[in-house]
């Protein structure tokens, strides 16, 4: 850790949930105070299951960089995730939306300026869903977005099949998807997922909200190769946001798929590109860069 990093260490605290879910407990949060002239507020929404842990390092680096640039950044561990209380098996999509709204209320009480909702992977679905609950304008910062919840759920359930191929579990009986459809919980890769969370995730879509004010959307995809175009799914999705009058800035950035590994990956290009895009005031038209 550099001396500069030590100057911007975040404040860790537990935010009371307000009794809006199964347990009237607390959510673990990290708040990065802005350094210098304030530029705005950022609420970070993490990805699904183990990806929360594999992405902590890069997210922490980005949050510190944002704070140094003048942004107030709040990270929250959702119900049943990370260091927050509650069981992952009891969490629902609605609970997580309530947590995101709770965190935003706290952030609003501590800082002002333009609001950014920053999501990573499934966190991008949560960020866009949160738009429908807001009475204030917001911008979106989407890292490696997924365009639908079923895509996330399918990838997660594939981990169960992978464990069977490795011989750790028997392959007979209903599939995890079938058990969830029957209202049962399923154990996958150390996480117990309930049918309500699976159902909420299955209904989630990355789509513009019809109400409210369209803001800016910064869409960043990672690629291990340089000069790679955005994914076809991403380009198709971005045309919808542009048609809904959002100012779109989309780029493909060279860097590792750090959410897939437990190694100490770093993504300096992603961090610098993110900051440059956030302060760019000229993304008034659809911009899709390789």
């Amino acid at each position: 850790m550099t001396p500069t990093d030590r100057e911007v260490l975040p404040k860790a605290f537990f935010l009371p949930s307000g009794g809006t879910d199964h347990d009237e407990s607390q959510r673990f949060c990290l708040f990065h105070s802005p350094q210098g002239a304030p530029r705005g507020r950022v609420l970070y929404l993490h990805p699904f299951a183990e990806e929360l842990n594999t992405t902590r390092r890069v997210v922490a680096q980005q949050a510190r960089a944002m704070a140094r640039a003048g942004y107030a950044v709040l990270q929250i561990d959702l119900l049943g995730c990370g260091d927050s209380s509650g069981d992952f098996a009891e969490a629902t999509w609605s609970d997580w939306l309530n947590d995101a709204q709770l965190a935003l209320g706290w952030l609003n009480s501590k800082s002002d300026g333009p609001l950014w909702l920053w999501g990573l992977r499934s966190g991008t679905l949560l960020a866009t869903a949160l738009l429908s609950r807001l009475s204030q304008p917001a911008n979106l910062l989407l890292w490696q977005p997924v365009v639908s919840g079923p895509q996330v759920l399918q990838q997660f359930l594939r981990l169960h099949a992978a464990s069977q191929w490795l011989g750790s579990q028997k392959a007979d009986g209903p599939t995890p998807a079938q058990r969830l459809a029957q209202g049962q919980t399923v154990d996958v890769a150390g996480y117990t997922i309930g049918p309500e969370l699976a159902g909420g995730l299955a209904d989630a879509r990355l789509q513009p909200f019809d109400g409210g004010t369209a803001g800016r959307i910064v869409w960043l995809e990672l690629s291990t190769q340089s000069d790679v175009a955005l994914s076809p799914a991403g380009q198709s999705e971005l045309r919808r946001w542009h048609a809904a009058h959002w100012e779109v800035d989309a780029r493909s950035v060279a860097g590792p798929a750090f959410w897939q590994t437990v190694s100490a990956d770093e993504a300096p290009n992603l961090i610098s590109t993110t900051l440059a895009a956030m302060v760019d005031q000229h993304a008034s038209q659809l911009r899709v860069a390789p």
Side-chain angles (χ1 to χ4, degrees), residues 193-224:
I193 182 173
E196 291 188 355
L197 177 56
L201 193 55
D203 291 336
R205 296 290 185 278
L206 197 72
Q207 56 187 4
F209 174 54
D210 291 336
T213 304
R216 295 183 58 208
I217 176 171
V218 173
W219 176 294
L220 300 177
E221 296 182 2
L222 269 291
S223 173
T224 55

PDB file of all heavy atoms in Angstrom, residues 193-224:
ATOM      1  N   ILE A 193     -28.878 -21.201  -2.544  1.00  0.00           N
ATOM      2  CA  ILE A 193     -29.745 -20.200  -3.187  1.00  0.00           C
ATOM      3  C   ILE A 193     -31.189 -20.663  -3.066  1.00  0.00           C
ATOM      4  O   ILE A 193     -31.505 -21.843  -3.271  1.00  0.00           O
ATOM      5  CB  ILE A 193     -29.346 -19.981  -4.667  1.00  0.00           C
ATOM      6  CG1 ILE A 193     -30.251 -18.904  -5.286  1.00  0.00           C
ATOM      7  CG2 ILE A 193     -29.378 -21.264  -5.461  1.00  0.00           C
ATOM      8  CD1 ILE A 193     -29.813 -18.496  -6.690  1.00  0.00           C
ATOM      9  N   GLY A 194     -32.070 -19.733  -2.696  1.00  0.00           N
ATOM     10  CA  GLY A 194     -33.470 -20.051  -2.548  1.00  0.00           C
ATOM     11  C   GLY A 194     -34.271 -19.736  -3.794  1.00  0.00           C
ATOM     12  O   GLY A 194     -33.819 -18.981  -4.665  1.00  0.00           O
ATOM     13  N   PRO A 195     -35.473 -20.286  -3.904  1.00  0.00           N
ATOM     14  CA  PRO A 195     -36.279 -20.075  -5.116  1.00  0.00           C
ATOM     15  C   PRO A 195     -36.693 -18.623  -5.323  1.00  0.00           C
ATOM     16  O   PRO A 195     -36.854 -18.192  -6.466  1.00  0.00           O
ATOM     17  CB  PRO A 195     -37.494 -20.989  -4.892  1.00  0.00           C
ATOM     18  CG  PRO A 195     -37.533 -21.249  -3.417  1.00  0.00           C
ATOM     19  CD  PRO A 195     -36.118 -21.202  -2.951  1.00  0.00           C
ATOM     20  N   GLU A 196     -36.861 -17.870  -4.223  1.00  0.00           N
ATOM     21  CA  GLU A 196     -37.270 -16.475  -4.396  1.00  0.00           C
ATOM     22  C   GLU A 196     -36.160 -15.635  -5.019  1.00  0.00           C
ATOM     23  O   GLU A 196     -36.410 -14.803  -5.895  1.00  0.00           O
ATOM     24  CB  GLU A 196     -37.686 -15.886  -3.047  1.00  0.00           C
ATOM     25  CG  GLU A 196     -38.984 -16.478  -2.510  1.00  0.00           C
ATOM     26  CD  GLU A 196     -39.461 -15.736  -1.283  1.00  0.00           C
ATOM     27  OE1 GLU A 196     -38.743 -14.833  -0.811  1.00  0.00           O
ATOM     28  OE2 GLU A 196     -40.559 -16.055  -0.790  1.00  0.00           O
ATOM     29  N   LEU A 197     -34.931 -15.843  -4.564  1.00  0.00           N
ATOM     30  CA  LEU A 197     -33.818 -15.106  -5.162  1.00  0.00           C
ATOM     31  C   LEU A 197     -33.614 -15.533  -6.614  1.00  0.00           C
ATOM     32  O   LEU A 197     -33.408 -14.694  -7.497  1.00  0.00           O
ATOM     33  CB  LEU A 197     -32.536 -15.342  -4.354  1.00  0.00           C
ATOM     34  CG  LEU A 197     -31.274 -14.680  -4.916  1.00  0.00           C
ATOM     35  CD1 LEU A 197     -31.461 -13.177  -5.089  1.00  0.00           C
ATOM     36  CD2 LEU A 197     -30.070 -14.976  -4.025  1.00  0.00           C
ATOM     37  N   ALA A 198     -33.692 -16.846  -6.850  1.00  0.00           N
ATOM     38  CA  ALA A 198     -33.537 -17.325  -8.231  1.00  0.00           C
ATOM     39  C   ALA A 198     -34.620 -16.753  -9.130  1.00  0.00           C
ATOM     40  O   ALA A 198     -34.360 -16.356 -10.276  1.00  0.00           O
ATOM     41  CB  ALA A 198     -33.575 -18.849  -8.251  1.00  0.00           C
ATOM     42  N   GLY A 199     -35.850 -16.685  -8.602  1.00  0.00           N
ATOM     43  CA  GLY A 199     -36.949 -16.141  -9.401  1.00  0.00           C
ATOM     44  C   GLY A 199     -36.763 -14.667  -9.695  1.00  0.00           C
ATOM     45  O   GLY A 199     -37.014 -14.205 -10.811  1.00  0.00           O
ATOM     46  N   GLY A 200     -36.322 -13.912  -8.679  1.00  0.00           N
ATOM     47  CA  GLY A 200     -36.080 -12.486  -8.892  1.00  0.00           C
ATOM     48  C   GLY A 200     -34.975 -12.242  -9.886  1.00  0.00           C
ATOM     49  O   GLY A 200     -35.067 -11.351 -10.746  1.00  0.00           O
ATOM     50  N   LEU A 201     -33.934 -13.057  -9.800  1.00  0.00           N
ATOM     51  CA  LEU A 201     -32.833 -12.927 -10.742  1.00  0.00           C
ATOM     52  C   LEU A 201     -33.280 -13.299 -12.156  1.00  0.00           C
ATOM     53  O   LEU A 201     -32.881 -12.671 -13.139  1.00  0.00           O
ATOM     54  CB  LEU A 201     -31.675 -13.821 -10.277  1.00  0.00           C
ATOM     55  CG  LEU A 201     -30.318 -13.620 -10.924  1.00  0.00           C
ATOM     56  CD1 LEU A 201     -29.851 -12.177 -10.798  1.00  0.00           C
ATOM     57  CD2 LEU A 201     -29.301 -14.570 -10.288  1.00  0.00           C
ATOM     58  N   ALA A 202     -34.115 -14.316 -12.244  1.00  0.00           N
ATOM     59  CA  ALA A 202     -34.595 -14.758 -13.559  1.00  0.00           C
ATOM     60  C   ALA A 202     -35.447 -13.686 -14.240  1.00  0.00           C
ATOM     61  O   ALA A 202     -35.538 -13.638 -15.473  1.00  0.00           O
ATOM     62  CB  ALA A 202     -35.398 -16.047 -13.413  1.00  0.00           C
ATOM     63  N   ASP A 203     -36.078 -12.830 -13.450  1.00  0.00           N
ATOM     64  CA  ASP A 203     -36.922 -11.764 -14.020  1.00  0.00           C
ATOM     65  C   ASP A 203     -36.151 -10.480 -14.306  1.00  0.00           C
ATOM     66  O   ASP A 203     -36.701  -9.550 -14.922  1.00  0.00           O
ATOM     67  CB  ASP A 203     -38.060 -11.428 -13.044  1.00  0.00           C
ATOM     68  CG  ASP A 203     -39.076 -12.562 -12.927  1.00  0.00           C
ATOM     69  OD1 ASP A 203     -39.160 -13.362 -13.876  1.00  0.00           O
ATOM     70  OD2 ASP A 203     -39.761 -12.635 -11.892  1.00  0.00           O
ATOM     71  N   ALA A 204     -34.905 -10.400 -13.833  1.00  0.00           N
ATOM     72  CA  ALA A 204     -34.132  -9.160 -13.955  1.00  0.00           C
ATOM     73  C   ALA A 204     -33.659  -8.959 -15.394  1.00  0.00           C
ATOM     74  O   ALA A 204     -33.203  -9.898 -16.055  1.00  0.00           O
ATOM     75  CB  ALA A 204     -32.942  -9.191 -13.006  1.00  0.00           C
ATOM     76  N   ARG A 205     -33.783  -7.740 -15.856  1.00  0.00           N
ATOM     77  CA  ARG A 205     -33.328  -7.377 -17.205  1.00  0.00           C
ATOM     78  C   ARG A 205     -32.601  -6.033 -17.149  1.00  0.00           C
ATOM     79  O   ARG A 205     -32.973  -5.165 -16.379  1.00  0.00           O
ATOM     80  CB  ARG A 205     -34.500  -7.247 -18.181  1.00  0.00           C
ATOM     81  CG  ARG A 205     -35.272  -8.526 -18.427  1.00  0.00           C
ATOM     82  CD  ARG A 205     -34.464  -9.529 -19.230  1.00  0.00           C
ATOM     83  NE  ARG A 205     -35.243 -10.721 -19.584  1.00  0.00           N
ATOM     84  CZ  ARG A 205     -35.443 -11.753 -18.777  1.00  0.00           C
ATOM     85  NH1 ARG A 205     -34.916 -11.733 -17.558  1.00  0.00           N
ATOM     86  NH2 ARG A 205     -36.139 -12.795 -19.160  1.00  0.00           N
ATOM     87  N   LEU A 206     -31.596  -5.906 -17.990  1.00  0.00           N
ATOM     88  CA  LEU A 206     -30.869  -4.639 -18.080  1.00  0.00           C
ATOM     89  C   LEU A 206     -31.592  -3.777 -19.106  1.00  0.00           C
ATOM     90  O   LEU A 206     -31.360  -3.896 -20.308  1.00  0.00           O
ATOM     91  CB  LEU A 206     -29.425  -4.895 -18.519  1.00  0.00           C
ATOM     92  CG  LEU A 206     -28.438  -3.759 -18.286  1.00  0.00           C
ATOM     93  CD1 LEU A 206     -28.142  -3.619 -16.806  1.00  0.00           C
ATOM     94  CD2 LEU A 206     -27.144  -4.029 -19.038  1.00  0.00           C
ATOM     95  N   GLN A 207     -32.467  -2.914 -18.644  1.00  0.00           N
ATOM     96  CA  GLN A 207     -33.260  -2.146 -19.581  1.00  0.00           C
ATOM     97  C   GLN A 207     -33.488  -0.741 -19.059  1.00  0.00           C
ATOM     98  O   GLN A 207     -33.567  -0.527 -17.850  1.00  0.00           O
ATOM     99  CB  GLN A 207     -34.599  -2.831 -19.832  1.00  0.00           C
ATOM    100  CG  GLN A 207     -35.412  -3.099 -18.581  1.00  0.00           C
ATOM    101  CD  GLN A 207     -36.644  -3.939 -18.865  1.00  0.00           C
ATOM    102  OE1 GLN A 207     -36.854  -4.381 -19.998  1.00  0.00           O
ATOM    103  NE2 GLN A 207     -37.455  -4.169 -17.868  1.00  0.00           N
ATOM    104  N   PRO A 208     -33.609   0.229 -19.970  1.00  0.00           N
ATOM    105  CA  PRO A 208     -33.855   1.608 -19.544  1.00  0.00           C
ATOM    106  C   PRO A 208     -35.178   1.721 -18.826  1.00  0.00           C
ATOM    107  O   PRO A 208     -36.149   1.056 -19.172  1.00  0.00           O
ATOM    108  CB  PRO A 208     -33.862   2.383 -20.866  1.00  0.00           C
ATOM    109  CG  PRO A 208     -33.222   1.488 -21.867  1.00  0.00           C
ATOM    110  CD  PRO A 208     -33.517   0.098 -21.425  1.00  0.00           C
ATOM    111  N   PHE A 209     -35.199   2.579 -17.825  1.00  0.00           N
ATOM    112  CA  PHE A 209     -36.436   2.836 -17.093  1.00  0.00           C
ATOM    113  C   PHE A 209     -37.223   3.900 -17.840  1.00  0.00           C
ATOM    114  O   PHE A 209     -36.688   4.946 -18.207  1.00  0.00           O
ATOM    115  CB  PHE A 209     -36.083   3.295 -15.677  1.00  0.00           C
ATOM    116  CG  PHE A 209     -37.252   3.738 -14.865  1.00  0.00           C
ATOM    117  CD1 PHE A 209     -38.354   2.905 -14.688  1.00  0.00           C
ATOM    118  CD2 PHE A 209     -37.272   4.987 -14.260  1.00  0.00           C
ATOM    119  CE1 PHE A 209     -39.441   3.305 -13.936  1.00  0.00           C
ATOM    120  CE2 PHE A 209     -38.351   5.396 -13.497  1.00  0.00           C
ATOM    121  CZ  PHE A 209     -39.443   4.553 -13.334  1.00  0.00           C
ATOM    122  N   ASP A 210     -38.508   3.650 -18.077  1.00  0.00           N
ATOM    123  CA  ASP A 210     -39.326   4.576 -18.857  1.00  0.00           C
ATOM    124  C   ASP A 210     -39.539   5.913 -18.149  1.00  0.00           C
ATOM    125  O   ASP A 210     -39.628   6.952 -18.794  1.00  0.00           O
ATOM    126  CB  ASP A 210     -40.680   3.940 -19.181  1.00  0.00           C
ATOM    127  CG  ASP A 210     -40.542   2.795 -20.162  1.00  0.00           C
ATOM    128  OD1 ASP A 210     -39.547   2.786 -20.905  1.00  0.00           O
ATOM    129  OD2 ASP A 210     -41.425   1.915 -20.165  1.00  0.00           O
ATOM    130  N   GLY A 211     -39.655   5.884 -16.816  1.00  0.00           N
ATOM    131  CA  GLY A 211     -39.864   7.115 -16.080  1.00  0.00           C
ATOM    132  C   GLY A 211     -38.552   7.755 -15.693  1.00  0.00           C
ATOM    133  O   GLY A 211     -37.477   7.228 -15.941  1.00  0.00           O
ATOM    134  N   GLY A 212     -38.625   8.922 -15.073  1.00  0.00           N
ATOM    135  CA  GLY A 212     -37.411   9.567 -14.589  1.00  0.00           C
ATOM    136  C   GLY A 212     -36.629  10.250 -15.689  1.00  0.00           C
ATOM    137  O   GLY A 212     -37.067  10.351 -16.839  1.00  0.00           O
ATOM    138  N   THR A 213     -35.442  10.726 -15.317  1.00  0.00           N
ATOM    139  CA  THR A 213     -34.595  11.480 -16.226  1.00  0.00           C
ATOM    140  C   THR A 213     -33.455  10.613 -16.734  1.00  0.00           C
ATOM    141  O   THR A 213     -32.762   9.985 -15.944  1.00  0.00           O
ATOM    142  CB  THR A 213     -34.014  12.716 -15.506  1.00  0.00           C
ATOM    143  OG1 THR A 213     -35.088  13.502 -14.979  1.00  0.00           O
ATOM    144  CG2 THR A 213     -33.171  13.551 -16.451  1.00  0.00           C
ATOM    145  N   ALA A 214     -33.281  10.579 -18.038  1.00  0.00           N
ATOM    146  CA  ALA A 214     -32.166   9.827 -18.616  1.00  0.00           C
ATOM    147  C   ALA A 214     -30.862  10.553 -18.323  1.00  0.00           C
ATOM    148  O   ALA A 214     -30.763  11.770 -18.509  1.00  0.00           O
ATOM    149  CB  ALA A 214     -32.373   9.666 -20.116  1.00  0.00           C
ATOM    150  N   GLY A 215     -29.869   9.834 -17.869  1.00  0.00           N
ATOM    151  CA  GLY A 215     -28.577  10.419 -17.560  1.00  0.00           C
ATOM    152  C   GLY A 215     -27.497   9.893 -18.472  1.00  0.00           C
ATOM    153  O   GLY A 215     -27.735   9.634 -19.659  1.00  0.00           O
ATOM    154  N   ARG A 216     -26.323   9.708 -17.937  1.00  0.00           N
ATOM    155  CA  ARG A 216     -25.207   9.153 -18.702  1.00  0.00           C
ATOM    156  C   ARG A 216     -25.012   7.697 -18.315  1.00  0.00           C
ATOM    157  O   ARG A 216     -25.202   7.310 -17.167  1.00  0.00           O
ATOM    158  CB  ARG A 216     -23.924   9.925 -18.396  1.00  0.00           C
ATOM    159  CG  ARG A 216     -23.935  11.370 -18.849  1.00  0.00           C
ATOM    160  CD  ARG A 216     -22.587  12.003 -18.559  1.00  0.00           C
ATOM    161  NE  ARG A 216     -21.520  11.276 -19.225  1.00  0.00           N
ATOM    162  CZ  ARG A 216     -20.263  11.224 -18.783  1.00  0.00           C
ATOM    163  NH1 ARG A 216     -19.936  11.846 -17.678  1.00  0.00           N
ATOM    164  NH2 ARG A 216     -19.350  10.549 -19.449  1.00  0.00           N
ATOM    165  N   ILE A 217     -24.614   6.887 -19.275  1.00  0.00           N
ATOM    166  CA  ILE A 217     -24.289   5.501 -19.016  1.00  0.00           C
ATOM    167  C   ILE A 217     -22.883   5.233 -19.557  1.00  0.00           C
ATOM    168  O   ILE A 217     -22.622   5.441 -20.745  1.00  0.00           O
ATOM    169  CB  ILE A 217     -25.338   4.539 -19.623  1.00  0.00           C
ATOM    170  CG1 ILE A 217     -24.912   3.076 -19.407  1.00  0.00           C
ATOM    171  CG2 ILE A 217     -25.591   4.818 -21.084  1.00  0.00           C
ATOM    172  CD1 ILE A 217     -25.995   2.085 -19.794  1.00  0.00           C
ATOM    173  N   VAL A 218     -22.003   4.833 -18.664  1.00  0.00           N
ATOM    174  CA  VAL A 218     -20.640   4.448 -19.044  1.00  0.00           C
ATOM    175  C   VAL A 218     -20.576   2.929 -18.968  1.00  0.00           C
ATOM    176  O   VAL A 218     -20.745   2.337 -17.905  1.00  0.00           O
ATOM    177  CB  VAL A 218     -19.592   5.081 -18.116  1.00  0.00           C
ATOM    178  CG1 VAL A 218     -18.205   4.537 -18.423  1.00  0.00           C
ATOM    179  CG2 VAL A 218     -19.624   6.605 -18.251  1.00  0.00           C
ATOM    180  N   TRP A 219     -20.339   2.307 -20.110  1.00  0.00           N
ATOM    181  CA  TRP A 219     -20.418   0.844 -20.255  1.00  0.00           C
ATOM    182  C   TRP A 219     -19.017   0.341 -20.586  1.00  0.00           C
ATOM    183  O   TRP A 219     -18.459   0.694 -21.631  1.00  0.00           O
ATOM    184  CB  TRP A 219     -21.394   0.544 -21.397  1.00  0.00           C
ATOM    185  CG  TRP A 219     -21.589  -0.880 -21.798  1.00  0.00           C
ATOM    186  CD1 TRP A 219     -20.677  -1.716 -22.369  1.00  0.00           C
ATOM    187  CD2 TRP A 219     -22.807  -1.625 -21.694  1.00  0.00           C
ATOM    188  NE1 TRP A 219     -21.239  -2.928 -22.627  1.00  0.00           N
ATOM    189  CE2 TRP A 219     -22.557  -2.900 -22.222  1.00  0.00           C
ATOM    190  CE3 TRP A 219     -24.079  -1.333 -21.214  1.00  0.00           C
ATOM    191  CZ2 TRP A 219     -23.539  -3.887 -22.284  1.00  0.00           C
ATOM    192  CZ3 TRP A 219     -25.060  -2.303 -21.283  1.00  0.00           C
ATOM    193  CH2 TRP A 219     -24.787  -3.570 -21.809  1.00  0.00           C
ATOM    194  N   LEU A 220     -18.428  -0.446 -19.720  1.00  0.00           N
ATOM    195  CA  LEU A 220     -17.057  -0.898 -19.917  1.00  0.00           C
ATOM    196  C   LEU A 220     -16.991  -2.426 -19.882  1.00  0.00           C
ATOM    197  O   LEU A 220     -17.400  -3.052 -18.899  1.00  0.00           O
ATOM    198  CB  LEU A 220     -16.147  -0.314 -18.833  1.00  0.00           C
ATOM    199  CG  LEU A 220     -16.079   1.221 -18.784  1.00  0.00           C
ATOM    200  CD1 LEU A 220     -15.206   1.682 -17.627  1.00  0.00           C
ATOM    201  CD2 LEU A 220     -15.557   1.792 -20.097  1.00  0.00           C
ATOM    202  N   GLU A 221     -16.480  -2.982 -20.973  1.00  0.00           N
ATOM    203  CA  GLU A 221     -16.273  -4.428 -21.053  1.00  0.00           C
ATOM    204  C   GLU A 221     -14.780  -4.722 -21.004  1.00  0.00           C
ATOM    205  O   GLU A 221     -13.979  -3.972 -21.560  1.00  0.00           O
ATOM    206  CB  GLU A 221     -16.871  -4.981 -22.350  1.00  0.00           C
ATOM    207  CG  GLU A 221     -18.378  -4.827 -22.451  1.00  0.00           C
ATOM    208  CD  GLU A 221     -18.943  -5.424 -23.743  1.00  0.00           C
ATOM    209  OE1 GLU A 221     -18.155  -5.992 -24.532  1.00  0.00           O
ATOM    210  OE2 GLU A 221     -20.160  -5.316 -23.941  1.00  0.00           O
ATOM    211  N   LEU A 222     -14.424  -5.825 -20.364  1.00  0.00           N
ATOM    212  CA  LEU A 222     -13.020  -6.241 -20.271  1.00  0.00           C
ATOM    213  C   LEU A 222     -12.711  -7.273 -21.345  1.00  0.00           C
ATOM    214  O   LEU A 222     -13.527  -8.139 -21.645  1.00  0.00           O
ATOM    215  CB  LEU A 222     -12.751  -6.860 -18.900  1.00  0.00           C
ATOM    216  CG  LEU A 222     -12.262  -5.955 -17.763  1.00  0.00           C
ATOM    217  CD1 LEU A 222     -10.856  -5.473 -18.046  1.00  0.00           C
ATOM    218  CD2 LEU A 222     -13.185  -4.772 -17.567  1.00  0.00           C
ATOM    219  N   SER A 223     -11.519  -7.166 -21.907  1.00  0.00           N
ATOM    220  CA  SER A 223     -11.057  -8.161 -22.871  1.00  0.00           C
ATOM    221  C   SER A 223      -9.570  -8.407 -22.641  1.00  0.00           C
ATOM    222  O   SER A 223      -8.831  -7.470 -22.335  1.00  0.00           O
ATOM    223  CB  SER A 223     -11.283  -7.678 -24.309  1.00  0.00           C
ATOM    224  OG  SER A 223     -10.678  -8.579 -25.225  1.00  0.00           O
ATOM    225  N   THR A 224      -9.160  -9.650 -22.772  1.00  0.00           N
ATOM    226  CA  THR A 224      -7.747  -9.963 -22.612  1.00  0.00           C
ATOM    227  C   THR A 224      -6.945  -9.584 -23.842  1.00  0.00           C
ATOM    228  O   THR A 224      -5.715  -9.639 -23.831  1.00  0.00           O
ATOM    229  CB  THR A 224      -7.555 -11.468 -22.336  1.00  0.00           C
ATOM    230  OG1 THR A 224      -8.192 -12.209 -23.380  1.00  0.00           O
ATOM    231  CG2 THR A 224      -8.167 -11.854 -20.993  1.00  0.00           C
TER     232      THR A 224
END
